[in-house]
Amino acid sequence: MSAPIYRKVLIAGGSGGLGLKISQAFLAKKNDFEVSILTRKAEKPKPEIETLKSSGATIVEYTSESVDELSSLLKGSEVVVSALGAAALYPFQVTLVEAAKNAGVKHFIPSEFGVASLDKDFKDIALFTGKFATFDAIKKAGLDWTLIYTGYFVDTTFEAWIGFDWRNGKVLVPGDGSLKNSWTHRDDVAKVVVNSLYWPGSKNGVIRISGSDLTYNEIVALFEAALGKKLEVSYKSAEKFAEEIKAYPNPYASWLEQLQLILAQGRGLVGPPLNNTELGLSAPIKAADFISAVVKSASG
């Protein structure tokens, strides 16, 4: 692989969840990158922060979310990668964009790791308000950007929190389960974020990747095959999710129902086209392989 387009990378939200995986993926190529992790100053640093520091990352701590402080801290970085969760996208990610412009950052990769929220009709999904505001801010600031669409994370979605309680034999299927959505492992997402900085097509471009495009019914069948037994399956329509969303006192309180509504409507399909090959993901982690492994691990 040729030299990266940029070398000095700062990762916001880089010590947990997907962000930690992205940080680790960059540090695995520390001959090519200078890696900084932006994190809120804490009385006692998280163990993950200490591990990242010992692996070669520079830890950049902030005490407030002011533009002035963040602008100072971002100076010297060429790329900002935001791995912030949905709750932090607005207004903090928008503030980061302004700070990046002030600091002379050249390229911004916002926290768009999920469904194709900016090129399909997602105005009904209040959870994405911060995504819309961030992209508007990026364009206004004149920064180069990359959007990376991945679909849902195969290694976090099939759990009880979303109604997929396969360990106890019960699954709630959004819609009738017949529409395809995209499923990608977070390890592959992290790999693609790093590889995007080697690919000229990433400048002001959209990257679409998927490990597997499958319906919910196909996912259920994979779990049943791995478990060797049938699951108790119930269904909830898109209309029912929409009704429940309207009943919440504020739009962010219904974050789970919004994610389920997207699945019910098949709006989690990020392609075609896909950019797996261009981004070094010719052999992604498949949902079938992940499901087989996680079931085997749980039973072993």
Side-chain angles (χ1 to χ4, degrees):
M1 188 172 284
S2 59
I5 301 167
Y6 300 111
R7 294 185 179 276
K8 298 177 180 180
V9 179
L10 180 140
I11 304 161
S15 62
L18 173 63
L20 179 59
K21 290 181 177 290
I22 292 173
S23 298
Q24 291 167 335
F26 273 111
L27 287 167
K29 290 180 173 285
K30 56 188 174 184
N31 288 338
D32 281 353
F33 297 103
E34 296 176 29
V35 181
S36 298
I37 310 297
L38 182 68
T39 185
R40 183 180 288 277
K41 186 176 180 60
E43 290 185 13
K44 184 178 180 181
K46 293 165 57 177
E48 293 86 354
I49 290 292
E50 293 301 312
T51 300
L52 290 169
K53 185 176 180 179
S54 66
S55 298
T58 298
I59 307 303
V60 179
E61 297 180 317
Y62 64 94
T63 58
S64 74
E65 296 182 3
S66 72
V67 173
D68 288 344
E69 180 182 358
L70 292 170
S71 297
S72 176
L73 295 175
L74 267 55
K75 283 182 179 177
S77 297
E78 295 175 306
V79 181
V80 170
V81 178
S82 172
L84 299 171
L89 294 187
Y90 189 81
F92 185 46
Q93 188 173 234
V94 175
T95 304
L96 271 181
V97 172
E98 186 177 351
K101 177 185 178 182
N102 293 345
V105 169
K106 298 179 174 64
H107 197 106
F108 200 101
I109 301 177
S111 186
E112 276 295 328
F113 313 110
V115 302
S117 60
L118 290 167
D119 72 349
K120 293 186 178 181
D121 184 11
F122 280 103
K123 295 300 183 184
D124 60 317
I125 304 299
L127 189 63
F128 295 162
T129 299
K131 293 176 181 279
F132 305 146
T134 297
F135 193 51
D136 287 343
I138 290 171
K139 291 185 291 184
K140 183 178 179 180
L143 296 172
D144 290 337
W145 50 268
T146 305
L147 306 180
I148 302 177
Y149 295 139
T150 66
Y152 286 72
F153 299 149
V154 73
D155 53 319
T156 63
T157 303
F158 304 122
E159 297 292 346
W161 66 269
I162 202 170
F164 207 105
D165 193 7
W166 60 271
R167 290 177 176 83
N168 291 309
K170 294 183 178 181
V171 173
L172 173 65
V173 173
D176 64 6
S178 67
L179 299 177
K180 289 185 182 294
N181 290 284
S182 297
W183 309 94
T184 307
H185 197 287
R186 289 178 300 164
D187 287 349
D188 285 339
V189 177
K191 177 180 180 180
V192 165
V193 174
V194 174
N195 288 349
S196 73
L197 294 187
Y198 294 90
W199 186 49
S202 67
K203 181 179 178 180
N204 298 334
V206 177
I207 291 171
R208 304 167 193 275
I209 62 167
S210 175
S212 305
D213 290 342
L214 296 171
T215 70
Y216 232 74
N217 291 337
E218 289 171 330
I219 294 291
V220 170
L222 288 171
F223 270 97
E224 290 178 334
L227 289 164
K229 64 179 181 181
K230 288 290 185 179
L231 296 170
E232 181 183 330
V233 179
S234 58
Y235 299 84
K236 185 184 286 189
S237 69
E239 292 76 15
K240 183 62 176 176
F241 284 121
E243 289 176 12
E244 293 176 349
I245 290 168
K246 290 179 182 178
Y248 276 87
N250 68 75
Y252 286 99
S254 61
W255 64 271
L256 177 57
E257 287 79 6
Q258 292 178 59
L259 294 178
Q260 291 170 310
L261 174 63
I262 294 168
L263 288 167
Q265 296 172 328
R267 289 193 285 171
L269 190 68
V270 300
L274 293 176
N275 303 108
N276 286 26
T277 302
E278 297 96 319
L279 274 299
L281 201 62
S282 57
I285 298 169
K286 295 293 185 181
D289 294 332
F290 172 78
I291 290 168
S292 177
V294 77
V295 170
K296 183 178 181 181
S297 176
S299 61

